[in-house]
């Protein structure tokens, strides 16, 4: 059992040369020549860029291609595939699937982690979960945790067909809500050989109970009733309503958590025009039936790493997952870091420790 408190750290490693070429002959699924580079949205406030905040980080040490593949529901899942330059032809390289925060898109945090880990020699794939970003799913912004988990397995399907990937050495990184979705996938997909979560949210517990169990049963029932009545409205052709997500503006009464999310999603620091972050009200109650930590111990003996900030409002979820998981497991507590800090603050994110975890776990 490992429970660690880490010093602040960053890690970079040089890799050279190129392998991937933008054609369907180079990849089993169809790929475009290159993924478009996401950049900060002009005209917005810069946000707090301390501690090396670098959500839109790019690297000349990796190649990037947009890829598209089907999940089991025949929905197109769109991702960015990152390959280290200098990868030898015929090499069988370990690979990682990287999932974005709930309500976000691959260009928010997931691309950063995928790029940094590709610099360390892994083939990485960031993906838009179904109903979000460029992936299929109607109506947009629907909550469907089972399909989100399926998208992780579909990404593994895709990676296992790539000639430069070692199909027996594939892991996953889940950021925020994707931590729970990746766990849900790993419980029934033993092809995911190792799993790391970052600032994990158990979206089921968060919706049933609130943070620190602040939601009463009566409040929960009112939320469920409101969503059910909204189904009537939408079935009759009425307007779709949305809920939760990052606030669009702040006021004197905004909470610290609202300000934390606003600073990433509504400023140039992390804003991306392809998401509102708001799920549909009528579908959000699907999370009430989502229990990712049930049977989490069955993932053993595949290794699990839970990384959370010392000051993260979401830390309770990583603590609980670590408590319930079987060995081998690690809990990494990053000093001085909050929840959103681990999305993009490269001077706080211990990429060297994440690299060591996957190198040891995907031997």
């Amino acid at each position: 059992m490992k429970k660690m408190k880490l010093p602040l750290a960053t890690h970079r490693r040089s890799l050279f040369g190129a392998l991937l070429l933008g054609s369907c002959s180079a990849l089993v699924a169809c790929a475009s020549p290159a993924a478009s580079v996401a950049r900060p949205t002009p005209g917005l406030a810069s946000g707090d860029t301390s501690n090396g905040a670098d959500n839109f980080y790019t690297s000349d040490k990796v190649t990037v291609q947009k890829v598209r593949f089907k999940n089991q529901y025949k929905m197109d899942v769109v991702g960015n595939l990152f390959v280290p330059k200098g990868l030898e032809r015929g090499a069988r390289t370990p690979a990682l699937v990287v999932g974005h925060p709930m309500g976000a898109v691959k260009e928010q945090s997931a691309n950063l982690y995928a790029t940094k880990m590709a610099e360390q020699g892994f083939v990485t794939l960031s993906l838009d979960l179904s109903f979000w970003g460029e992936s299929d799913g109607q109506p947009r912004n629907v909550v469907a945790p089972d399909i989100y988990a399926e998208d992780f397995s579909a990404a593994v399907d895709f990676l296992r067909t790539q000639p430069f990937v070692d199909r027996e050495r594939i892991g996953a990184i889940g950021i925020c809500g994707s931590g729970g979705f990746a766990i849900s996938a790993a419980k029934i997909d033993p092809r995911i050989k190792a799993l790391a979560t970052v600032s994990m949210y158990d979206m089921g517990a968060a919706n049933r109970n609130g943070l620190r169990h602040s939601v009463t049963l009566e409040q929960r029932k009112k939320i469920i009733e409101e969503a059910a009545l909204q189904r009537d409205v939408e079935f009759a052709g009425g307007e779709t309503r949305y809920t939760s997500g990052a606030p669009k503006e702040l006021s004197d009464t905004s909470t610290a958590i609202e300000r934390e999310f606003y600073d990433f999603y509504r400023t140039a620091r992390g804003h991306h025009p392809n998401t509102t972050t708001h799920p549909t009200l009528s579908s959000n109650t699907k999370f009430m039936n989502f229990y990712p930590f049930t049977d989490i111990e069955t993932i053993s003996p595949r290794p699990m790493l839970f990384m959370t900030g010392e000051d993260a409002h979401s830390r309770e979820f990583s603590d609980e997952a670590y408590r319930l998981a079987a060995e081998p497991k690690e809990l990494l507590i990053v000093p001085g870091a909050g929840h959103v800090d681990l999305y993009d603050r490269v001077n706080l994110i211990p990429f060297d420790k994440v690299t060591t975890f996957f190198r040891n776990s995907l031997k």
Side-chain angles (χ1 to χ4, degrees):
M1 176 185 298
K2 296 182 181 179
K3 189 172 183 178
M4 304 167 61
K5 188 171 182 178
L6 299 178
L8 307 184
T10 57
H11 193 66
R12 297 183 68 177
R13 182 186 177 192
S14 294
L15 296 164
F16 303 97
L19 167 72
L20 269 199
L21 331 168
S23 70
C24 294
S25 61
L27 298 170
V28 172
C30 189
S32 61
S36 59
V37 177
R39 293 184 174 86
T41 303
L44 296 177
S46 62
D48 179 1
T49 57
S50 63
N51 284 304
D54 200 359
N55 178 69
F56 298 102
Y57 175 77
T58 58
S59 174
D60 60 5
K61 302 176 179 67
V62 303
T63 63
V64 189
Q65 285 186 291
K66 184 178 293 185
V67 297
R68 185 181 302 267
F69 49 91
K70 300 285 188 183
N71 64 20
Q72 277 196 328
Y73 302 102
K74 305 306 179 186
M75 301 166 68
D76 278 355
V77 179
V78 177
N80 287 334
L81 185 68
F82 299 79
V83 177
K85 290 184 178 179
L87 199 65
E88 294 181 4
R89 291 185 181 275
R92 292 293 183 267
T93 306
L96 301 171
V97 182
V98 186
H100 57 73
M102 177 58 205
V105 289
K106 62 186 178 300
E107 291 82 8
Q108 294 168 312
S109 190
N111 274 0
L112 169 62
Y113 274 78
T115 302
K116 288 289 188 177
M117 297 307 292
E119 286 185 327
Q120 303 309 312
F122 297 89
V123 172
T124 59
L125 173 61
S126 66
L127 70 157
D128 282 330
L129 297 177
S130 294
F131 305 99
W132 298 89
E134 297 178 274
S135 291
D136 280 355
Q138 292 294 333
R140 304 308 292 164
N141 299 22
V142 159
V143 168
D146 285 350
I147 297 179
Y148 299 162
E150 160 58 24
D151 292 337
F152 275 87
S153 288
V156 174
D157 296 340
F158 170 79
L159 287 171
R160 282 168 64 92
T161 64
Q162 303 312 307
F164 44 85
V165 168
D166 187 334
R167 57 189 285 129
E168 300 303 328
R169 290 194 293 161
I170 298 175
I173 298 174
I175 304 163
C176 185
S178 277
F181 311 144
I183 288 173
S184 183
K187 287 191 297 185
I188 58 172
D189 192 342
R191 303 172 305 167
I192 299 173
K193 301 298 185 182
L195 174 61
T197 67
V198 179
S199 292
M200 177 167 55
Y201 250 81
D202 173 351
M203 295 303 301
N207 279 272
R208 286 187 299 273
N209 307 317
L211 295 173
R212 298 175 180 82
H213 290 255
S214 58
V215 173
T216 67
L217 177 58
E218 189 60 33
Q219 289 172 321
R220 186 197 307 177
K221 288 181 177 179
K222 288 182 178 179
I223 293 168
I224 292 171
E225 181 181 15
E226 182 183 16
L229 293 175
Q230 179 61 24
R231 289 180 66 111
D232 290 336
V233 172
E234 293 174 8
F235 188 81
E239 184 177 353
T240 301
R241 290 179 59 193
Y242 300 88
T243 187
S244 63
K248 294 182 179 178
E249 55 186 34
L250 298 177
S251 69
D252 292 342
T253 60
S254 296
T255 66
I257 294 173
E258 289 172 329
R259 294 176 185 278
E260 183 180 10
F261 283 119
Y262 179 93
D263 190 75
F264 181 80
Y265 287 108
R266 307 304 181 202
T267 71
R269 173 185 163 195
H271 176 269
H272 194 274
N274 213 15
T275 182
T276 67
T277 77
H278 299 293
T280 62
L281 174 65
S282 60
S283 72
N284 198 59
T285 50
K286 297 289 194 301
F287 280 136
M288 299 286 187
N289 283 337
F290 182 52
Y291 293 84
F293 298 167
T294 299
D295 296 330
I296 191 175
E297 72 279 4
T298 63
I299 295 174
S300 176
R302 290 170 287 156
M304 300 187 71
L305 168 67
F306 307 101
M307 185 167 74
T308 184
E310 180 181 33
D311 304 321
H313 67 262
S314 59
R315 179 174 167 177
E316 62 183 283
F317 303 121
S318 294
D319 287 341
E320 179 69 357
Y322 176 75
R323 183 183 72 81
L324 293 171
E327 298 287 355
K329 59 183 179 180
E330 297 180 55
L331 178 64
L332 301 176
I333 301 172
V334 181
H339 174 85
V340 177
D341 288 336
L342 297 185
Y343 286 11
D344 67 334
R345 299 195 192 281
V346 296
N347 294 347
L348 291 176
I349 300 169
F351 284 110
D352 55 342
K353 300 297 182 181
V354 179
T355 299
T356 299
F357 168 76
F358 280 114
R359 283 184 180 158
N360 291 337
S361 301
L362 299 176
K363 290 181 178 178

